[in-house]
Amino acid sequence: MRQTDSRHFGMSALETPTLAQLTTIGVGGPVDQFVEPQTEEEFIAAVCSADAAGLPLLVIGGGSNLLISDEPFHGVVVRDKRHGVSALKTGIALNETAGAVKIVAGAGVNWDDFVAFCVSSGFSGVEGLSGVPGTVGASVVQNIGAYGQEVASSVSSVRVFDRKNGDIQKLNPADMHFGYRSSALKSSMYSAPATPADHYFPTPRYVVLSVSFMLQRSDANEVAFGQLAKALGVSMGERMPIVAIRQAVLRVRASKGMLEDPGRYASRWMQGCKDQSNISQAALQRILAKLGNGVVARDIEEAKPDFDRHSCGSFFMNPILTQAQAATLPEDAPRFDAMLSDGRPGVKTSAAWLIDHAGFHKGHKVRKEAKAGLSTLHTLALTNRGGADAGDIAELAKTLQDGVEERFGVRLVPEPVVVGMNLR
Ligand SMILES: Cc1cc2nc3c(=O)[nH]c(=O)nc-3n(C[C@H](O)[C@H](O)[C@H](O)COP(=O)(O)OP(=O)(O)OC[C@H]3O[C@@H](n4cnc5c(N)ncnc54)[C@H](O)[C@@H]3O)c2cc1C
């Protein structure tokens, strides 16, 4: 277990990472203690020891859904070191009879390594989630979703450590209460939307140790999203090879800057967190995407970092409104059937549409020289344009929230876990 402690060594910058070095948006202050357990036992021990000492605990995965303040984090950051695909392979158990395959992945396994492994093995069910940054453990915390798939539909059970009862439990899908970008684990962190609970924040009460997936043994699957069907030149619902679906998803995501920057894995603190061959593939695809956008090959090496990728992905949830609230929106605002948290029928609208129609377009900055800005490729991604701190990102986020509320009466709720700052 790698364990570094800035207090003991007295050299925070050298001995422990900053949260800026561990997160995709590249902001966040120094941490007191950083622990990388290599076994499940060490993982649980690290969690228990932080809780017993009454220290703030951040179990971190890929750091792709976190916005953390620049202040020092006077607690323990734990990152499960069981990253490799080897952790994945050893966990496989095949169910030959049902045409289904069960795969067990450790919490620390990189999510896209997992998807790449499934697709190359001919296991369908998660190919639409190609390129979502982060880890297997966090995928079930917010029930990741994209291009017509949600992780909830392939999870068969989640093995967790319950910080309250101090025991290991197996949670079935019904226990997980999966919803739109939510789960029982995420709910355990909040007392109201964007309002942290007294306990179990910024890490849920249930720490994910591993996830069991039930996938189909099949080289093909239905194309479940219009934009994807268009990219593939087929109709919605048509069956396509999962290898082709994965490639199309990665291309579409690259065109919107909704992939992480593979360059982050070169840093000292990220090395080993993702399979090297998948990093190389991602780097190659990044070059191809740039060429596709008209960038000349010789300029690529010298080009600035991909600031459009230095984000937390979609920064705001798509709001689910009451029917009365939705009726006040302009006629052309997107509307989809959805369920309110109390079970009543509601209407989901698009956060990106609201932001854009409130006058904040791609590339928007609060000031010309600001170091944070909306992605130039995606209205919903707040990005670090180089040298931004958490305050810069928060200023932009609040400007968008206030502007949308003033224009449409809807307060946008952040999707990332916001630590040490108030973005209500
Ligand atoms: C460019 C980009 C694109 C994105 N696109 C999508 C998308 O299409 N769809 C989507 O749903 N999301 C998307 N996201 C958001 C993000 O990728 C997901 O939320 C992802 O699951 C976060 O994983 P992580 O390991 O990085 O979690 P982190 O950011 O490290 O942590 C997030 C939360 O999960 C908790 N957590 C982490 N590991 C564990 C564990 N083992 N047990 C319990 N809690 C844990 C943390 O404590 C924290 O509260 C995108 C992000 C980026 C940067």
Side-chain angles (χ1 to χ4, degrees):
M1 169 155 62
R2 169 161 80 167
Q3 179 156 11
T4 51
D5 186 330
S6 64
R7 295 162 315 157
H8 292 178
F9 296 102
M11 292 187 291
S12 79
L14 289 178
E15 298 302 332
T16 55
T18 62
L19 285 156
Q21 291 169 309
L22 301 180
T23 55
T24 49
I25 198 161
V27 304
V31 305
D32 277 359
Q33 294 182 61
F34 181 59
V35 186
E36 282 197 296
Q38 307 206 28
T39 64
E40 189 178 280
E41 292 69 31
E42 287 181 0
F43 192 6
I44 293 171
V47 168
C48 288
S49 122
D51 281 347
L55 291 170
L57 168 70
L58 173 61
V59 171
I60 197 168
S64 61
N65 208 29
L66 284 166
L67 175 64
I68 309 182
S69 96
D70 304 311
E71 296 302 312
F73 184 77
H74 292 305
V76 186
V77 176
V78 180
R79 187 170 68 180
D80 182 3
K81 191 135 197 214
R82 298 169 298 156
H83 304 308
V85 179
S86 55
L88 193 63
K89 282 183 179 154
T90 53
I92 288 182
L94 299 179
N95 178 351
E96 304 272 356
T97 50
V101 55
K102 183 181 169 197
I103 303 181
V104 184
V109 170
N110 175 273
W111 173 259
D112 196 56
D113 282 356
F114 169 70
V115 176
F117 169 78
C118 294
V119 169
S120 64
S121 307
F123 305 151
S124 73
V126 288
E127 61 285 344
L129 299 172
S130 292
V132 175
T135 52
V136 165
S139 72
V140 293
V141 174
Q142 84 143 357
N143 181 21
I144 56 169
Y147 301 99
Q149 277 178 354
E150 272 188 346
V151 75
S153 47
S154 31
V155 169
S156 62
S157 65
V158 182
R159 186 176 156 85
V160 295
F161 176 71
D162 179 355
R163 296 165 65 195
K164 185 172 182 192
N165 294 338
D167 59 4
I168 292 177
Q169 296 176 18
K170 180 178 155 191
L171 301 181
N172 294 314
D175 306 317
M176 289 294 291
H177 296 289
F178 285 123
Y180 164 62
R181 297 299 90 79
S182 72
S183 71
L185 277 52
K186 190 165 177 183
S187 304
S188 74
M189 294 197 286
Y190 296 100
S191 57
T195 308
D198 290 344
H199 300 292
Y200 312 123
F201 186 87
T203 294
R205 166 178 163 181
Y206 303 95
V207 172
V208 178
L209 302 172
S210 62
V211 181
S212 299
F213 296 87
M214 194 61 80
L215 302 177
Q216 292 305 308
R217 232 179 230 289
S218 171
D219 285 340
N221 204 354
E222 288 177 9
V223 178
F225 201 76
Q227 211 177 9
L228 196 53
K230 197 171 161 207
L232 284 159
V234 299
S235 312
M236 275 265 286
E238 208 165 306
R239 285 183 77 76
M240 287 294 287
I242 53 176
V243 172
I245 295 178
R246 172 169 167 78
Q247 289 312 320
V249 168
L250 291 175
R251 275 199 312 278
V252 174
R253 293 190 78 101
S255 71
K256 298 178 182 176
M258 290 304 261
L259 292 169
E260 67 183 335
D261 185 344
R264 73 186 292 238
Y265 291 100
S267 95
R268 171 189 169 192
W269 294 106
M270 292 305 293
Q271 270 171 20
C273 291
K274 184 171 169 68
D275 184 79
Q276 191 52 51
S277 65
N278 291 332
I279 296 171
S280 306
Q281 282 266 332
L284 182 64
Q285 278 157 356
R286 176 174 158 269
I287 292 173
L288 294 175
K290 277 178 171 265
L291 288 172
N293 284 341
V295 177
V296 182
R298 67 170 180 278
D299 293 340
I300 288 177
E301 282 306 308
E302 293 153 25
K304 287 182 186 165
D306 271 335
F307 292 133
D308 283 327
R309 292 187 177 196
H310 295 193
S311 76
C312 306
S314 299
F315 195 87
F316 294 108
M317 309 264 281
N318 287 324
I320 301 181
L321 309 173
T322 62
Q323 284 165 339
Q325 281 174 318
T328 66
L329 293 180
E331 239 172 60
D332 56 339
R335 290 174 166 80
F336 308 95
D337 289 341
M339 207 190 284
L340 294 161
S341 53
D342 59 11
R344 282 180 302 148
V347 179
K348 181 152 88 176
T349 188
S350 156
W353 189 95
L354 295 175
I355 292 170
D356 194 53
H357 286 75
F360 307 107
H361 309 303
K362 287 173 189 159
H364 178 87
K365 289 178 167 186
V366 291
R367 283 176 302 284
K368 193 162 171 271
E369 69 284 6
K371 292 176 178 164
L374 283 182
S375 162
T376 64
L377 302 172
H378 198 294
T379 318
L380 208 43
L382 276 66
T383 57
N384 181 343
R385 311 304 300 177
D389 60 24
D392 297 321
I393 307 287
E395 182 187 26
L396 176 61
K398 279 185 184 149
T399 304
L400 302 177
Q401 286 176 308
D402 293 346
V404 166
E405 187 167 24
E406 197 178 308
R407 174 76 181 80
F408 298 112
V410 175
R411 188 78 185 166
L412 294 175
V413 175
E415 185 183 299
V417 178
V418 178
V419 185
M421 289 183 295
N422 179 358
L423 282 185
R424 265 170 258 158

